[in-house]
Structure formats: C-alpha cells, structure tokens
Amino acid sequence: MSVLDSKVPKGPIKDKWTDYKNHIDLVNPANKRNIDIIVVGTGLAGGSAAATLAELGYNVKAFAYQDSPRRAHSIAAQGGINAAKNYQGDGDSTYRLFYDTVKGGDYRSREANVYRLAEVSANIIDQCVAQGVPFARDYGGLLDNRSFGGVLVSRTFYAKGQTGQQLLLGAYSAMNRQIARGKIEMFNRHEMLDVVLVDGKARGIITRNLITGEIERHSAHAVVIGTGGYGNVYFLSTNAMGSNATAAWKIHKKGAFFANPCYTQIHPTCIPRSGDYQSKLTLMSESLRNDGRIWVPAKIEDAKAIQEGKLKPTQIAEADRDYYLERRYPAFGNLVPRDVASRAAKERCDAGYGVNATGEAVYLDFAAAFQRYGSEQAKLKGIKNPSKEEVIKLGQAIIEEKYGNLFQMYEKIIAENPYETPMMIYPATHYTMGGVWVDYNLMTTVPGLYCIGEANFSDHGANRLGASALMQGLADGYFVLPYTIGDYLSNDIRTGKIPTDTPEFDAVEKEVQDKIDFFLNNNGTKSVDHFHKRLGKVMWDKVGMSRNAPQLKEAMAEIKAIREEFWKEVKVPGSGSEMNLELEKAGRVADFLELGELFAKDALVREESCGGHFREESTELDGEQKGEAKRNDKDFAFVSAWEYKGEPADAVLHKEELEFNDIELKQRSYK
Amino acid sequence: MNLTLKIWRQKDSKTKGQMVDYKVTDISEHMSFLEMMDVLNEQLVNSGDEPVAFDHDCREGICGMCSMYINGEAHGPDRGITTCQLHMRMFNDGDTITIEPFRAKAFPVIKDLVVDRMSFERIQQAGGYISVNTSGNTQDANALPISKHAADEAMDAAACIGCGACVATCKNSSAMLFVGAKVAQYALLPQGQVEAADRVKNMVAQMDLEGFGNCTNTGACEVECPKGISLENIARMNREFLKASIKG
Ligand SMILES: Cc1cc2nc3c(=O)[nH]c(=O)nc-3n(C[C@H](O)[C@H](O)[C@H](O)COP(=O)(O)OP(=O)(O)OC[C@H]3O[C@@H](n4cnc5c(N)ncnc54)[C@H](O)[C@@H]3O)c2cc1C
Ligand code: SF4
Ligand code: FES
C-alpha cells in the first residue's frame, strides 16, 4: 500500500469540485486576519494566489528573487491561454478541454484535477478581462481565439505575442492593490533557501536578502511554493537565467515527494543554438505553427549544400521539399503536439537533413501563409488582378500584425529577415511537467505545505499542451488554492502567531548559513557555470529527447561524479554580506546536480514511452504506427512519486495508480 | 573581436564608485551583449576577482530586468531592443565600450550596474490596478464588447516592461512615459473608467514624491524605449489628469 492519498472527492467527475466546495470548512473573515500565509514565487501561480488570499483577508508574505513580481518568468509566455468558452461555436466544452488535456498528456495525469482545471478555465478569462487585460479582439469587439497544437478547436485567448506578460501584469496589478492596503507584504530580491517544519507541519521559511546578504526567518500558518519549473537543469533552455529548482528541491529534502521528474517538454520551435558561449535559448511561439509549414530538403545533397552555405532555401523547388509533419501526420500536420513535432525534427536532423551549419535546424516557412492571407486581403479590399508582389505584401502585413514581435526578435538574434527567408528552428527544453507531488488540494506530502503552478506535477501528465500552463497557473492561484487552503487553515484559527525564535528555526537557519560559508571558503578552481554546463551536456545528450537504459545509467554515474567534483572544486568569490550573484548561482546549481540524477533515475525506471518521455526500447514495431512511441498502460499507468533518502540514487519510489473512469485509454494517434 | 570595456564598479549603495578598464578577446559577433559580459565575468572569477554585478533574467527582452547605459545610451546603440537583445555585431574589433548603470535620483545604485527601481513599484501600487476581487462570478468576458482599435491601443500601452530606460535617458529623469503607459492602458478600456480620476491623480502624486523630474517634451524617452511606447500616452495622461482636476 502506498502512503500517497490523492484525496480526490467521491462522486461523478462533473460534480466533484462543486460538491467539494459545498462541504469544506471555511474560515470566517474575522479569523482570517489572524492567519499568515507565505507565498514563495510571484509568477502567474504565486502572484494570483497571493492577491486572492489577501483579498480574502489573510495576511500574505510574498517572495521573489527578481526586483518586482512583474518580472517572473511567466512574463515570457507568448502564445496564449486556453479556456473552454466555446466563443467560436466550434464544439468546445469543459469535457472537450478535459479530454484534450488528458489525451495530450498521454494519459498520465489525474482525471479529477484536469476536469477541475477545465471547469474553472472560463472564469479565468472573465477575471482577466475585468482586470483590464487587453486580449486580442475581432472587429465586432469580441474576444478573438487562435488554435494551438494537439487540438481541433480554437480556444486559445491571446494578447499579441505577449499573453504571459499581460496576464502577469494583471495578477501584478491585483497584488499591487493588496500591497497598498498592507495585506501583502512583498519581499523582492529575496530567495527562499529552505522550509521550516514544526511538529511535522510547514510553518516558515529561511530566506536570503539578495541585496544585503542577510539570512532571515519568516513564519506562517501555511507555506505555498509557486517557484516555477526546473528546465534549467539542462543549462540551456527557454527559461530565464534565474529560473531554479531550489525551493522545490529543498522542500523535497524536507519530506515533500517529487513526482515524475523525467517528464520534460522539449519545445519544437526554438531558435537554434549558434555557439558554445550560448547562455540561453529563445522560443518562437508555437502559435507560429498555425501559419508556418515545417520542412527540410528531401534530397540529402541539397541538405549538404545548405549546411555548407552553398544553397539557399528559397532556391529549392517545391517538389524537393519534405514537409515531414504533413507527410507523417496528415490529420494534424504542422499542429501535432510538441513532443511529436520535436522528435520528428530530431529524426530528420539525425538523418543528415538539418539546415544550418551545425545540422541541427529545420525550416519554418511562411510563404504559403503570405499567399493565402494576401489573396484574402486583396479580395476584401476589392483589388482586381493583384500582382504576385502585391499579394505577398498584403499577406506579410497580416502576419506582421499577428506575430510582428516574434519576427523582430528572430531577426535581432539571427540577423536574417524571416519575411524573406524561412525561419530556422530546433527543439529546446522548455517546460517541466514533473514537479512536487500534490494531492487534489494542491498540498504536498508535508501538511501545510502547498505547491502550485509549474512547480507542481499536477495537470499535464507526460506532456503539456500549448497554452495550458498559463491556464493552470492562474487556475491554481485564483480559483483552486484559495478554497483548498481554507479547509486546512480552519484548524489553525486558535494557533496564534508562529514564533521564529525556536529550535526548529535555529536548526534550519544554521544549515543554510553553513552551506553559504562552505561556498565562500571553498577556494576551488572552477566557476559555477563550468559545472552547470557540464551537467547540462549530460542531460541533453543522455536524458534528452530520446532515452535508453545504458545511457541513463551512464548519466546517473556521470552526474554524481560532476556533483562530487563540484563540492571539491567550485569557486565562489566575494562575501556573503552583499549582493553576490555567483553565490546565488552556486546554491541553485548544487540543487540541480541532485535533481538531475533523480531525473535520470526516474527516466530509467519508466520503461515505456509516454509524452515527452521517449524510451528507444519502447516503440511500435509494425503497422501504421511503426516507430512511434509505445505506451504501456498495464505496467506504467502510475505517477512516480519519489521520497528523499539522502543520495538521489537512493530515493524510494511510491506509486499513485491512475484510474481512468471518464476517458477511455487509447494510444495517441495524430495520423 | 577584441574589446576594451570601461565599466562602472561600485561595491554598494554607500561606497563611491569608479570606472574600471577591462579587456576581452575573441568575442564572436553572434554573441549577445550579455554573453560578452558572461565571458568577462568567467574571466574575472577564474582570476579570483569579483565579477561585475548586472541585472538580467529572461534574456529575451520581456522581463525588463536588464538595464545598463552603454556608450551613453540606455540599452545601447540598437533601437527597439533591451540590453539583453543587443548583439555584438553592433560593435567593431578594437572598440572601447563604456558601460554604466541607469542614472537617476529615483534609481539609486545597489551594486556595480544594478539599480534599485522600487520607485516604479510604489507608483504602480498607488493606482495601477482596477479594483476587482477574484470571485469566479465576474461578468462574462464577452458581455462588454470593446472595439478592436481601443483594445489594440490599450495593448500597445500595456507593452511597457518597466525597465526604466525612459527615465535614464531623460535629462530631467522624468517617469512620464512609464506612468503614462499604465494610465493610458486603463483609460482606453471601459473597465478602467470607474477609478480613472483617482488613478491618475494618485499615480502622478506618487511619481512626484519619488523625485522624478518634470517632462519638458524632449521626446528622448520614446526614442530609447525598447517597446516603442509612444509619446501619445503622455498626452493622454495629461488629458486624464486635467479631466480629473476639473472634476475635483
Ligand atoms: C518562453 C516561454 C513561453 C511560454 N509560453 C507559454 C504559452 O504561450 N502558454 C502557456 O500556457 N504557457 C507558456 N509557457 C509556460 C508558462 O509560461 C510557465 O509554465 C508559467 O508561466 C509558470 O508560472 P509559475 O507561476 O509557475 O512560475 P514563474 O512565472 O516561473 O514564477 C516563479 C516565481 O518564483 C520565484 N522564485 C523562484 N525561485 C525562488 C526562490 N528560491 N525564492 C524565492 N522566489 C523564487 C521567482 O522570483 C518568480 O516570482 C511558456 C514558458 C516559456 C519559458
Ligand atoms: S516606457 Fe519604455 S523605457 Fe519606459 S519603462 Fe516602459 S518599456 Fe521601459
Ligand atoms: S533580461 Fe529580461 S528584458 Fe533583458
């Protein structure tokens, strides 16, 4: 018997959340004033949670490592946010969003959580519009939608190519209102370095003030972690430079189980790497796949010529192009889910058809879209017999309106005009579906310790659909946690303030201080980045888009060796009592070096292919699906929740069996 | 390429700073400016020196964290971009590049190139929001149509990333473009109307309190703004302010 209890309410799936809300304990408004909540992270998840909890009357202390909540990495989300509004009348519904999300996640998520997510999705859009989020609208003044990979309806709401920015600024404005009222105390440039448990419950955190270096104690009746994903374990990813796993990993070491670390999303449309100095990778929004067609040369000699700079893509005739997604997946074409699109790109490039000097790039071509939109515009504008150039020009204007900022970003980085030459793209690490295990209440295995947003594992199974992370972050923060945490806190109305001058706080503060002192006095010979890059290379080469048992075992051993060397040889200049960016990085990389090993171990144990996790040993051997990923529901329809036991390799596996009552398990097919 | 860097070094807000010269070699034109700074910092760490502190996070021009005054320009010589989007192809072999923090009374230096922009936070807290609680029973998002034109204009104003380049560029250190962008976004939307008068008055009052200078219409802010926030937003804020003052 597993110790995991998902606490999913009984009853039909469509009534679970409503019934649950009708029966939980509530905290009366007067008592909320006596209850403190710590929210670590103020991205979409943490920001929306902090604002809502403060509106309800709780005293909130919120923390972020940047100088403002407005700078959390949610700001970088481009494409959009899903909601089952069915404004387009194309057959969307709560059930369909639920179904698409479970299917997209390759049947590795918890049904009840996903259904609730789909249920509250429509509220998110209403709330954001009320806050003044300027979503795109059509000429009739109503909200516009676009469609994203893996689905057949248009349910994605967007604000130009800056949807994450606008949603975050909405949550930020709601936070600002509460900061002004004194209901949120905001700690910018503060990093949480550990959690404090008292009698087994989460009661506080230890932070470092990143300006003064001061180590601080903060107490509360409950602690919420919303610190984002761990994609930077690969060193190169589309995450921000500071994105880190420290809070999630530290709570794991204090008792929170870590679920499905191997489920990572490698996003198909990123700008390819150009050299060893590269510090991060840039995403080109998936929405581009609505209008762009992906191809590589069909002939190997053309590919070689392109790699050597002797041929231009525009010189390759239509018949000599291989639109491989349209060829392999006629039903979904360029809009197959991300994992499928990424592996297909890798397959072509591994076979030698890549289109830049490194051989690791494919084309994303808008020529057909210029033509299509251009003809439409010419008709609308009543232009008779427009010239070819005129049509292209009109079409380009439409594309510019839709994706102008992305095209500009591309041109600044690559120094090529994507209106004239097709874009080059290649997959890159983007999102982590795995994360801290939480139950239906979003509580971890530690009482009073919650985890929301990308940091938890909850809703996306083995693969996340586009535009669903923003939805989940805001669902957790605005509409789910504020209820579920109340149920827990109703037992704390008589507890009173949690003191910080206790042995529990002393002990954790000492652990934190000792580690900082160690780094500063280690006098090693190599920089933090040196180790981070080596870790990233092992992760990408052996725990990347395609995995097998021998390489995963090697990866575990190599990561352990890098970690041991790190503790001997790392060099951190400066002191602890000032702003010290190297010291910040050292702590984060130390945690990545442990998480990376657990990640590889999890990938090794999961001997099936599912979603973003592709095991070379588990593919379809024949039939129409030959070579495609093969899931194994009989042996692997469970969540892997890991319990910390010292070394990452010694972590103990607990299984949460997944039951599918409302959706029939099927092999995913996008053919 | 090989470059000489003249960089402002300052231990903390209490210590006086100074320009220090550094050399970097073998810089690729495809590197971003911050990747060039990474190379310098790796060099400094390896030789046991303290790396140069600078703010950055997303490195794709959207978080507003990066700042830097490069060769006398906020976010450097290119247009319509932030420092993190600046590429070394904008420079030539043998160049000397001067790198300073954003300078303004309301943006005190924290360390080296890192400045404190909490004044921007306080201005937003003074009124940069619409007072609506999260309830789950707000009216349907399509109940109130908004013309595409107004929505697009509001979006253009809302694109501000709060970087502070406008202030750093302005000879008066005025924050009018930053504040105007937020005021205009809400002024353009029906949801923003109820609190319009209080919002503009409170935000402007806080701006004055923080020690930002007056706007004398030089337009330098618009030129340096990485997000193309237009001067039109300042005009709109002035109109909103006048309207609010007449109402009393
Ligand atoms: C380039 C890009 C584009 C994307 N586009 C889309 C899209 O179009 N649609 C979609 O649905 N999803 C998209 N995603 C995914 C989505 O943006 C993220 O999953 C989501 O925004 C994460 O939100 P969050 O609140 O969980 O975390 P974040 O926004 O990452 O916030 C993390 C917060 O935690 C804080 N923090 C971290 N560690 C600590 C610590 N130790 N101490 C204190 N504070 C800490 C940070 O300061 C920050 O406030 C995109 C992601 C990327 C990278
Ligand atoms: S108005 Fe422009 S320059 Fe000023 S803070 Fe906003 S984005 Fe930066
Ligand atoms: S680092 Fe985010 S805008 Fe430059």
Side-chain angles (χ1 to χ4, degrees):
Chain A
M1 231 327 260
S2 167
V3 291
L4 294 171
D5 178 0
S6 66
K7 307 226 174 80
V8 171
K10 298 258 167 321
I13 197 154
K14 61 180 195 357
D15 301 331
K16 282 183 200 289
W17 180 232
T18 308
D19 280 354
Y20 171 94
K21 286 190 291 183
N22 287 340
H23 293 100
I24 48 171
D25 287 329
L26 300 177
V27 182
N28 90 37
N31 283 330
K32 287 196 183 109
R33 272 181 249 138
N34 303 323
I35 292 185
D36 306 327
I37 302 176
I38 284 174
V39 179
V40 188
T42 51
L44 282 182
S48 58
T52 308
L53 294 169
E55 285 164 10
L56 288 170
Y58 297 107
N59 309 311
V60 176
K61 281 180 157 191
F63 297 82
Y65 71 77
Q66 295 95 343
D67 68 345
S68 162
R70 71 179 297 153
R71 307 205 200 282
H73 199 51
S74 294
I75 201 90
Q78 302 166 346
I81 176 166
N82 289 330
K85 277 287 199 186
N86 194 28
Y87 282 160
Q88 306 304 323
D90 55 4
D92 202 7
S93 64
T94 299
Y95 182 83
R96 196 176 279 279
L97 175 53
F98 158 66
Y99 175 85
D100 286 343
T101 309
V102 172
K103 176 187 174 199
D106 220 357
Y107 307 92
R108 289 292 173 267
S109 44
R110 194 189 284 147
E111 271 192 341
N113 284 53
V114 180
Y115 195 88
R116 175 177 64 190
L117 173 68
E119 230 178 318
V120 303
S121 67
N123 291 338
I124 297 174
I125 304 302
D126 299 341
Q127 182 63 28
C128 294
V129 166
Q131 287 170 346
V133 170
F135 283 121
R137 291 178 180 264
D138 60 23
Y139 284 99
L142 301 180
L143 291 160
D144 194 20
N145 291 117
R146 47 169 66 139
S147 62
F148 255 45
V151 302
L152 299 170
V153 293
S154 276
R155 63 160 74 99
T156 305
F157 294 79
Y158 65 100
K160 271 206 171 160
Q162 290 116 286
T163 315
Q165 177 194 33
Q166 293 311 314
L167 296 173
L168 183 62
L169 292 180
Y172 169 65
S173 70
M175 280 188 77
N176 280 334
R177 176 169 163 240
Q178 299 305 322
I179 295 172
R181 290 176 60 209
K183 289 306 289 182
I184 297 180
E185 196 180 347
M186 183 66 215
F187 294 85
N188 293 309
R189 293 202 198 262
H190 274 67
E191 180 162 15
M192 164 181 163
L193 293 178
D194 217 331
V195 63
V196 181
L197 310 189
V198 179
D199 299 331
K201 292 180 179 169
R203 292 297 199 189
I205 60 172
I206 304 292
T207 60
R208 179 166 180 271
N209 176 327
L210 300 180
I211 299 178
T212 63
E214 220 169 310
I215 303 298
E216 299 166 357
R217 303 174 179 199
H218 298 276
S219 71
H221 297 90
V223 175
V224 181
I225 303 294
T227 50
Y230 52 87
N232 275 350
V233 67
Y234 286 90
F235 183 68
L236 286 181
S237 82
T238 63
N239 286 3
M241 300 301 287
S243 295
N244 69 89
T246 288
W249 192 251
K250 287 294 169 19
I251 66 170
H252 172 56
K253 292 175 87 163
K254 288 277 184 321
F257 290 4
F258 206 99
N260 303 331
C262 81
Y263 291 164
T264 322
Q265 183 161 81
I266 314 273
H267 197 293
T269 56
C270 301
I271 299 180
R273 221 166 70 96
S274 70
D276 289 336
Y277 46 79
Q278 193 110 15
S279 60
K280 76 153 279 165
L281 295 168
T282 304
L283 176 76
M284 289 280 102
S285 166
E286 164 154 306
S287 57
L288 292 174
R289 285 202 275 146
N290 271 304
D291 287 309
R293 297 177 71 198
I294 295 178
W295 63 275
V296 293
K299 295 192 202 141
I300 193 84
E301 53 285 9
D302 285 352
K304 288 276 160 307
I306 284 189
Q307 288 161 15
E308 289 158 13
K310 291 183 192 144
L311 194 68
K312 291 210 169 65
T314 40
Q315 295 169 314
I316 298 182
E318 202 52 36
D320 294 330
R321 300 177 176 194
D322 176 14
Y323 295 91
Y324 57 87
L325 287 176
E326 298 170 22
R327 168 170 59 80
R328 285 178 65 179
Y329 308 99
F332 282 70
N334 293 296
L335 288 175
V336 291
R338 294 175 175 178
D339 56 326
V340 178
S342 289
R343 277 196 300 276
K346 179 174 158 51
E347 189 276 329
R348 283 294 78 196
C349 291
D350 286 354
Y353 292 87
V355 297
N356 68 357
T358 66
E360 292 196 331
V362 299
Y363 289 126
L364 178 61
D365 196 333
F366 293 87
F370 296 153
Q371 187 69 42
R372 189 174 74 244
Y373 287 120
S375 316
E376 201 180 288
Q377 284 300 307
K379 269 208 200 86
L380 279 171
K381 298 201 154 97
I383 305 173
K384 295 232 169 66
N385 303 320
S387 70
K388 226 174 135 194
E389 289 71 33
E390 260 180 301
V391 170
I392 301 284
K393 222 166 163 186
L394 287 167
Q396 286 177 340
I398 297 291
I399 293 288
E400 182 172 1
E401 189 177 316
K402 286 182 136 177
Y403 314 109
N405 67 321
L406 297 172
F407 276 57
Q408 184 225 17
M409 190 154 91
Y410 181 87
E411 191 172 354
K412 289 288 176 197
I413 295 176
I414 298 289
E416 264 181 21
N417 180 349
Y419 292 100
E420 282 159 18
T421 345
M423 280 186 184
M424 287 180 290
I425 52 164
Y426 198 66
T429 303
H430 177 60
Y431 181 88
T432 51
M433 283 74 69
V436 178
W437 186 89
V438 289
D439 61 17
Y440 189 73
N441 300 321
L442 305 180
M443 186 147 87
T444 69
T445 42
V446 175
L449 183 57
Y450 291 79
C451 190
I452 58 177
E454 190 174 340
N456 76 21
F457 89 108
S458 78
D459 296 346
H460 308 293
N463 175 51
R464 174 176 70 78
L465 289 182
S468 286
L470 301 182
M471 169 173 72
Q472 182 224 334
L474 290 181
D476 288 359
Y478 282 139
F479 297 112
V480 178
L481 181 81
Y483 286 99
T484 61
I485 204 170
D487 192 35
Y488 172 82
L489 289 170
S490 61
N491 295 314
D492 259 323
I493 52 177
R494 279 185 205 87
T495 309
K497 270 247 169 290
I498 309 288
T500 58
D501 54 347
T502 58
E504 289 89 348
F505 275 89
D506 291 346
V508 182
E509 184 182 308
K510 183 169 181 314
E511 269 178 60
V512 167
Q513 189 63 58
D514 286 352
K515 181 155 295 163
I516 290 174
D517 293 343
F518 173 87
F519 282 133
L520 294 170
N521 297 320
N522 193 43
N523 286 326
T525 53
K526 297 188 182 98
S527 70
V528 176
D529 277 354
H530 166 89
F531 294 100
H532 197 178
K533 285 181 183 169
R534 275 169 60 193
L535 169 67
K537 183 155 170 46
V538 174
M539 292 298 300
W540 185 246
D541 290 346
K542 298 184 173 166
V543 204
M545 265 185 279
S546 155
R547 305 159 179 178
N548 62 56
Q551 286 200 328
L552 289 169
K553 285 182 194 148
E554 281 166 32
M556 285 183 69
E558 286 169 25
I559 294 168
K560 182 168 188 234
I562 298 174
R563 187 170 67 240
E564 283 167 1
E565 192 186 327
F566 170 85
W567 286 106
K568 284 205 200 88
E569 289 298 334
V570 72
K571 174 161 164 173
V572 180
S575 81
S577 56
E578 58 178 336
M579 177 172 271
N580 187 335
L581 301 164
E582 287 295 308
L583 179 63
E584 292 168 28
K585 276 198 283 188
R588 294 169 192 164
V589 171
D591 293 330
F592 281 135
L593 282 165
E594 294 182 4
L595 169 61
E597 190 180 343
L598 182 68
F599 188 136
K601 181 181 165 109
D602 185 50
L604 181 63
V605 168
R606 190 164 287 277
E607 294 168 347
E608 64 162 347
S609 294
C610 62
H613 172 64
F614 185 74
R615 280 291 294 265
E616 289 157 16
E617 301 93 329
S618 184
T619 55
E620 297 288 348
L621 297 177
D622 43 41
E624 196 202 11
Q625 300 282 335
K626 185 163 184 251
E628 300 289 329
K630 186 172 178 205
R631 218 176 55 227
N632 174 353
D633 294 326
K634 189 165 121 304
D635 302 313
F636 291 96
F638 60 79
V639 174
S640 303
W642 296 94
E643 181 182 5
Y644 183 77
K645 289 282 183 195
E647 286 287 299
D650 299 335
V652 171
L653 176 65
H654 298 268
K655 296 180 183 175
E656 179 194 340
E657 298 295 339
L658 292 169
E659 283 171 35
F660 294 89
N661 300 317
D662 292 86
I663 287 184
E664 186 196 346
L665 268 94
K666 281 200 207 132
Q667 279 300 344
R668 264 189 329 165
S669 168
Y670 295 93
K671 293 263 180 194
Chain B
M1 46 182 140
N2 301 330
L3 303 164
T4 305
L5 307 173
K6 291 185 173 301
I7 303 181
W8 181 260
R9 301 298 312 253
Q10 180 172 342
K11 190 169 166 42
D12 52 37
S13 57
K14 292 176 209 87
T15 321
K16 264 188 83 174
Q18 57 176 10
M19 299 300 289
V20 179
D21 287 6
Y22 299 96
K23 292 231 179 296
V24 283
T25 53
D26 286 334
I27 298 298
S28 153
E29 57 164 0
H30 298 301
M31 276 185 194
S32 72
F33 193 83
L34 295 186
E35 282 164 354
M36 183 276 295
M37 292 296 289
D38 292 342
V39 170
L40 169 69
N41 276 345
E42 179 89 10
Q43 206 170 293
L44 291 173
V45 172
N46 286 334
S47 60
D49 294 324
E50 260 203 69
V52 180
F54 61 89
D55 265 332
H56 67 114
D57 203 26
C58 73
R59 293 207 178 183
E60 51 187 72
I62 191 73
C63 73
M65 193 89 183
C66 62
S67 45
M68 293 197 199
Y69 212 62
I70 303 164
N71 286 345
E73 286 182 90
H75 295 306
D78 207 351
R79 287 285 165 268
I81 53 155
T82 51
T83 296
C84 60
Q85 293 174 296
L86 179 64
H87 275 71
M88 294 313 291
R89 58 181 83 93
M90 294 297 295
F91 300 90
N92 300 310
D93 187 32
D95 276 1
T96 298
I97 308 176
T98 310
I99 310 170
E100 293 171 88
F102 279 1
R103 301 216 188 259
K105 187 165 142 239
F107 290 167
V109 171
I110 293 175
K111 181 175 184 172
D112 298 340
L113 304 171
V114 177
V115 297
D116 180 341
R117 287 171 286 200
M118 282 305 113
S119 47
F120 268 16
E121 295 298 292
R122 290 184 291 266
I123 293 174
Q124 294 294 342
Q125 289 154 17
Y129 50 78
I130 288 170
S131 298
V132 51
N133 279 358
T134 315
S135 60
N137 50 28
T138 324
Q139 75 170 351
D140 185 87
N142 258 350
L144 196 63
I146 299 175
S147 84
K148 178 166 162 42
H149 183 69
D152 287 351
E153 264 197 292
M155 176 62 224
D156 289 342
C160 164
I161 57 173
C163 63
C166 44
V167 173
T169 297
C170 175
K171 66 179 170 56
N172 310 317
S173 298
S174 165
M176 288 290 271
L177 196 61
F178 168 75
V179 184
K182 196 81 236 167
V183 169
Q185 177 198 342
Y186 291 134
L188 282 156
L189 298 171
Q191 289 84 357
Q193 300 311 315
V194 179
E195 297 165 284
D198 285 342
R199 174 178 307 114
V200 67
K201 281 199 283 190
N202 291 339
M203 289 182 82
V204 168
Q206 188 64 36
M207 173 176 81
D208 292 342
L209 206 65
E210 296 290 349
F212 290 102
N214 291 325
C215 173
T216 52
N217 291 314
T218 66
C221 52
E222 186 188 54
V223 177
E224 288 298 341
C225 171
K227 294 292 138 182
I229 303 296
S230 128
L231 286 176
E232 177 51 35
N233 292 296
I234 297 185
R236 192 178 295 275
M237 174 162 74
N238 286 335
R239 290 199 296 276
E240 290 290 314
F241 191 78
L242 201 66
K243 237 178 14 192
S245 313
I246 293 168
K247 271 198 208 147

